[in-house]
Amino acid sequence: MGRVRQARKTTARRSGDWQEFQLIDWIRQCTQNQAIRREIHIGDDASSYRASGTMNELVTCDAMIEDVHWSWDWCDPRSLGYKIVAVNLSDIAAMGGIPKRAHLVLALPWQQKKAVVQPMLRSLIKTLNRHQVVLAGGDTVFSSGPMMITLTLQGEVAPQEMLLRSQAKEGDLLFVTGDLGAAAAGLDLLKQYKKVPSHYTVLTKKLLAPIPRVEAGRLLAHSGKVHAMLDLSDGLAGDVRHLAKASQVGIRLYTEYIPIALATRVAARHLKKDPLFYALCGGEDYELLFTASPKYTSEIFRLVQDKAKLSCHIIGQVVNKRQGIYQILPNGSRAPLPAGWQHPA
Ligand code: ADP
Ligand code: MG
């Protein structure tokens, strides 16, 4: 999971001389000869397996570590329990899937108190229940290290409805649900204030309690109108690159069309940050990014806005790979896209 790492000074996306995505690419190369037709392996939001019957099984897995992905200074146990479920649901949503079963690995410090673990687990189970997901197993271990929580989520999707990152077509429009950058602004606020002013709650909520777009994901997948989809966890700039690489295409992004909420803009000004930086490089938005032919634009707006009750924006276009990945600035000039979130040197 490439999420906003709260402690950006830590090794969350880097270990020794590896960067996260270099390491994943290397693992993927090592597993190349395992490829079996009809199975989707490393590289998408979830893996997929056609066991028998009519459905594809989906599996995704996300881990969160204390003082890397959350700090008890600003994240309470209930939020943590909710969030580990939400980020996994978001990956199943990105494949167009229906979540079904979960396995939970809890790695707890020896001294961890029940008063923390119980509300966290109650909230986790409540959130699973709300999505009709069964907690089917897991493992519990204790150590002298920080707390770590890992959830594996299984889901299913009809093979013809499954949406991958790799199917974007030249000429497609690039759509995004909701607005971007709010979670990154919320994180900066939480790090800056002991008590964040109440008018910024909408931003801290986006970080602590993102709403996985399961319904919109299903509607889009079922419509048959979408070519490629992924969820936004690494910041738009990073995730657009994932889409382009998987689909072997280029992307033209229109900077002025990127949806950024007023609260995010106000907070950015307050924090002396660029709201566009939050949207492009922040991460943890958990919105859906997808591509479809321009002829289906009104159908897509009908599904996302009218049925799923979410805002939806066209932010760019899929172009030939030779054109690369770039943004058109409000003055009409062309500029390279900044990197997604990167570890400071
Ligand atoms: P997401 O943000 O959608 O959760 P990630 O960026 O974490 O996805 O991972 C990208 C892809 O790499 C996914 O397909 C994931 O399953 C795979 N992946 C990540 N880490 C590993 C690993 N250690 N071993 C095998 N596959 C991995
Ligand atoms: Mg994802």
Side-chain angles (χ1 to χ4, degrees):
M1 162 172 54
R3 288 161 287 120
V4 171
R5 268 54 185 189
Q6 75 84 15
R8 293 181 176 193
K9 57 193 175 300
T10 69
T11 54
R13 302 198 87 181
R14 194 182 182 128
S15 99
D17 48 3
W18 288 105
Q19 293 229 338
E20 177 181 347
F21 291 110
Q22 286 176 335
L23 175 55
I24 294 174
D25 268 350
W26 185 83
I27 296 174
R28 184 177 12 203
Q29 277 160 24
C30 293
T31 60
Q32 216 75 148
N33 61 354
Q34 297 177 341
I36 298 170
R37 259 155 54 87
R38 293 151 63 106
E39 287 191 24
I40 303 292
H41 289 267
I42 296 173
D44 229 297
D45 293 287
S47 64
S48 146
Y49 172 61
R50 178 85 173 266
S52 59
T54 55
M55 301 297 267
N56 278 3
E57 185 183 319
L58 302 169
V59 183
T60 185
C61 165
D62 268 320
M64 293 176 72
I65 303 174
E66 182 179 349
D67 288 334
V68 176
H69 299 100
W70 84 89
S71 156
W72 293 126
D73 291 344
W74 49 260
C75 181
D76 61 286
R78 285 174 52 233
S79 297
L80 177 64
Y82 171 88
K83 184 157 176 178
I84 189 71
V85 178
V87 300
N88 276 281
L89 286 169
S90 179
D91 278 326
I92 295 292
M95 305 289 290
I98 304 162
K100 290 286 178 188
R101 286 155 54 89
H103 286 75
L104 171 68
V105 178
L106 274 180
L108 301 175
W110 300 115
Q111 74 282 6
Q112 191 73 67
K113 295 274 189 291
K114 266 192 207 157
V116 168
V117 179
Q118 282 180 330
M120 192 265 293
L121 289 177
R122 278 199 202 97
S123 161
L124 182 152
I125 292 165
K126 192 169 144 195
T127 313
L128 289 174
N129 287 347
R130 204 179 305 138
H131 289 268
Q132 284 104 49
V133 177
V134 176
L135 182 59
D139 199 12
T140 303
V141 290
F142 295 87
S143 80
S144 54
M147 181 167 163
M148 175 164 163
I149 173 167
T150 305
L151 195 80
T152 301
L153 189 60
Q154 288 169 272
E156 61 179 36
V157 62
Q160 69 278 12
E161 293 186 1
M162 184 165 72
L163 292 173
L164 306 177
R165 299 174 175 190
S166 56
Q167 302 301 309
K169 309 268 179 290
E170 204 179 321
D172 277 0
L173 295 177
L174 189 63
F175 296 81
V176 71
T177 62
D179 60 89
L180 307 184
L187 177 62
D188 271 355
L189 289 164
L190 284 167
K191 288 203 277 189
Q192 174 135 341
Y193 288 101
K194 240 187 152 33
K195 187 161 171 33
V196 176
S198 60
H199 53 277
Y200 288 137
T201 309
V202 63
L203 303 179
T204 52
K205 254 186 104 172
K206 268 290 260 191
L207 178 79
L208 296 172
I211 300 176
R213 305 309 190 189
V214 181
E215 189 194 357
R218 279 299 307 137
L219 287 166
L220 291 167
H222 186 65
S223 75
K225 305 285 190 277
V226 170
H227 285 148
M229 186 154 79
L230 70 162
D231 70 328
L232 289 171
S233 54
D234 293 322
L236 182 63
D239 285 316
V240 152
R241 285 191 171 86
H242 295 151
L243 179 79
K245 187 174 174 198
S247 294
Q248 294 289 299
V249 294
I251 299 282
R252 180 194 304 134
L253 208 63
Y254 291 94
T255 313
E256 66 187 309
Y257 298 147
I258 297 172
I260 302 176
L262 183 62
T264 307
R265 293 181 189 280
V266 173
R269 180 181 299 183
H270 184 105
L271 295 162
K272 301 193 172 40
K273 292 278 178 65
D274 179 0
L276 201 57
F277 175 81
Y278 282 141
L280 285 170
C281 311
E284 295 226 71
D285 295 302
Y286 298 109
E287 296 294 348
L288 294 174
L289 179 73
F290 56 97
T291 81
S293 161
K295 67 181 176 212
Y296 296 129
T297 301
S298 52
E299 172 68 357
I300 281 170
F301 279 107
R302 190 184 67 77
L303 291 173
V304 180
Q305 296 192 326
D306 301 350
K307 288 197 111 178
K309 307 283 179 225
L310 276 179
S311 63
C312 184
H313 291 86
I314 295 169
I315 57 169
Q317 191 149 31
V318 179
V319 297
N320 192 280
K321 188 180 177 196
R322 282 194 305 275
Q323 292 191 46
I325 302 166
Y326 59 97
Q327 52 181 331
I328 302 290
L329 300 174
N331 66 8
S333 66
R334 180 180 160 147
L337 207 59
W341 183 83
Q342 279 191 333
H343 193 277

